[in-house]
Each structure stands twice: as C-alpha cells, then as structure tokens.
Amino acid sequence: MKNSQKNWIYLAGIIALIGVAIHIVAIFGGPSWYAFFGAPPSVVRSAREGTLLAPVGALIIAGLMAICAAYAFSALGVIRRLPLLRTGLAGIAIVCLLRALVLWPLMINHPELRNTFEIVAAIVWGLAGVGFVFGFRLVHAQNQDSLSSDDENVET
C-alpha cells in the first residue's frame, strides 16, 4: 500500500482522537462548549443543570471515538491487532461515510443543519471514512498475502 494511503489511515485515527479530546474537554468547558459543538438542547440543558446526561454521554461518545482511533492504528500496526479488525474497520468506515453523506439531504427539510459546524463536521467525518476504507483495504490485502504465503508453505 502506498504511503499516501497509509496517511489517510493516520488521518482517520487522528480525527477520531481529536473527537475524543473535544468530548472530554466539553465536560469541563460546560454548556457553552456543548452548544458550540452542536449537542442537542437536552444535553446542553443537562450541562447547565449539572445532571449526568451531558458528561456520561460525552464520555460514551469519547469512548466510541477512542475505539475508532484504536482500529485505525491497529490497521497500521502501530498497536497490536484488534479482534474483528476488518469487520470493525468496515463498520466504522460505513458509519463515518453515512455521517458525511446524510447531512446533505437532511439540510433540505432541516434548515437548522445548514451551518458551518455541521458542514465542516460532515466533511471531516467523510475524510475519516475514506481513511477507514483504506484501513480495511490494507488489512484485507495483508490477510490475502498471509493466505498466499500459507499456501506456498504447504506446497513446499
């Protein structure tokens, strides 16, 4: 795989790590941070009132994004191979790409989604989705190479 394609995988992992940081920092930043990052009104209200919905939700999302980053870095061999690596990368790629693509038709009937943050977020997650697709392809190619070398070892 070309270095440029591996760079896409690194980008996907870094985007996910930035998402982790944003969600953790939002807990300490308070209601204005949740509002800025497009949290639903109920989450902003939770942050304002000090209930658990906002921080627990942010931690759950941060955890999911950390898992996404781990899968990207596992595909690159930076960390150990994670279970169901190809399946995980494929699922993450689909979710990221859907997150990127679903905004455009939704903006037709939901004008509140026509803002800079939502558009930038869609583009960023689209880029991450491309990175996870390359991650899937890299792991798939590695598995194919491994199978080919296993077949050669059996024949000799």
Side-chain angles (χ1 to χ4, degrees):
M1 180 165 269
K2 296 176 184 174
N3 278 341
S4 63
Q5 294 171 335
K6 287 184 178 182
N7 288 341
W8 279 96
I9 304 168
Y10 275 110
L11 178 64
I14 290 167
I15 288 170
L17 286 177
I18 291 169
V20 170
I22 287 171
H23 283 82
I24 291 173
V25 171
I27 294 169
F28 301 102
S32 62
W33 280 61
Y34 285 102
F36 175 78
F37 287 111
S42 59
V43 174
V44 176
R45 188 170 41 260
S46 167
R48 196 175 305 115
E49 295 171 359
T51 64
L52 290 178
L53 175 65
V56 170
L59 288 173
I60 289 170
I61 294 169
L64 291 172
M65 289 183 174
I67 291 169
C68 293
Y71 271 82
F73 295 125
S74 179
L76 290 164
V78 173
I79 63 172
R80 71 174 182 82
R81 186 177 174 94
L82 294 175
L84 299 171
L85 185 56
R86 279 192 313 168
T87 304
L89 290 165
I92 294 166
I94 289 168
V95 169
C96 290
L97 293 172
L98 283 174
R99 166 65 177 92
L101 296 173
V102 76
L103 176 68
W104 310 107
L106 279 177
M107 286 192 309
I108 295 168
N109 293 323
H110 299 280
E112 69 275 9
L113 295 176
R114 293 182 208 141
N115 62 64
T116 303
F117 176 80
E118 289 296 336
I119 293 169
V120 169
I123 292 167
V124 167
W125 285 108
L127 295 172
V130 171
F132 286 111
V133 167
F134 281 126
F136 171 83
R137 290 181 56 196
L138 174 63
V139 172
H140 182 71
Q142 290 169 344
N143 287 349
Q144 294 301 335
D145 291 344
S146 174
L147 290 174
S148 296
S149 66
D150 288 346
D151 290 344
E152 290 171 7
N153 292 335
V154 170
E155 292 175 11
T156 57

